Amino acid sequence: MTSTQKRLVALNIAGGFAVLGSYAAGFAYYPDDVGGLWGGVPEQWRGLYTTAMFPAALGYFPMTYFLLFRANLDQKIFGGVSAGACITLLYAVALSLAAAWMPLTLEFLTGAGGGLWPAIHLALLFTGVASLGLVGCVIALRPANGGGVAWTLALLGSLFFTFQTGVLDALVWPALFPLP
């Protein structure tokens, strides 16, 4: 395993624990405020959100597998940046900001003030942008032989992940959130 692969594995493990830990802590410390996390998402749309979370979460794994172990991380993409550097930055942004969303939002819901709203919205927006960047990496790193099943699953997984983070979380949820 190369140093870039090791760094990406460590980043995904630490970032994954940070995201899941932020959710667990949020549910544990603010059990009365968890319902407020839906914001203004209508009841009839919540099933779409919940359903979309599963392919998004599952899609993360083939996307990550392809980018870590099947893609050429030394290949130059997006204006001459190495794929490894680009992927590392995108995962760092997506994971760190995804981990920040829950505590920021729960703090906002407990009355910490409207000053947190821009931070919440920007965290979601940049998570979505980073996710879209990962789709771009999957596309840019498609092997000459077409990539086969691993590449196809990575592309589908990255699209599901980006639909959740870039559309539902970054665009729809903030637009429906009832601000005071």
Side-chain angles (χ1 to χ4, degrees), residues 1 21 25 30 57 69 78 83 97 111 123 125-126 140 144 162 168 173:
M1 191 179 299
Y30 298 94
F69 301 112
F78 306 139
L97 294 177
L125 187 61
F126 282 112
T162 299
L168 294 178
W173 183 84

Side-chain angles (χ1 to χ4, degrees), residues 46-180:
R46 293 179 187 183
L48 167 66
Y49 265 82
T50 304
T51 302
M53 287 179 197
F54 290 105
L58 291 174
Y60 186 89
F61 294 102
M63 172 186 72
T64 301
Y65 169 78
F66 174 80
L67 290 172
L68 265 67
F69 301 112
R70 300 290 296 272
N72 177 359
L73 296 176
D74 294 323
Q75 182 177 328
K76 303 295 183 200
I77 58 173
F78 306 139
V81 177
S82 78
C86 185
I87 292 165
T88 301
L89 175 64
L90 292 169
Y91 273 109
V93 169
L95 291 167
S96 63
L97 294 177
W101 173 80
M102 176 69 81
L104 286 172
T105 303
L106 287 169
E107 192 68 20
F108 177 78
L109 289 172
T110 59
L116 287 176
W117 181 249
I120 294 165
H121 197 182
L122 286 172
L124 291 171
L125 187 61
F126 282 112
T127 299
V129 168
S131 299
L132 186 59
L134 290 169
V135 172
C137 289
V138 170
I139 292 169
L141 295 167
R142 182 177 187 181
N145 67 1
V149 173
W151 183 84
T152 302
L153 291 175
L155 180 62
L156 289 172
S158 67
L159 291 171
F160 282 125
F161 185 67
T162 299
F163 176 72
Q164 178 69 47
T165 60
V167 176
L168 294 178
D169 294 347
L171 301 177
V172 175
W173 183 84
L176 297 175
F177 199 91
L179 294 174

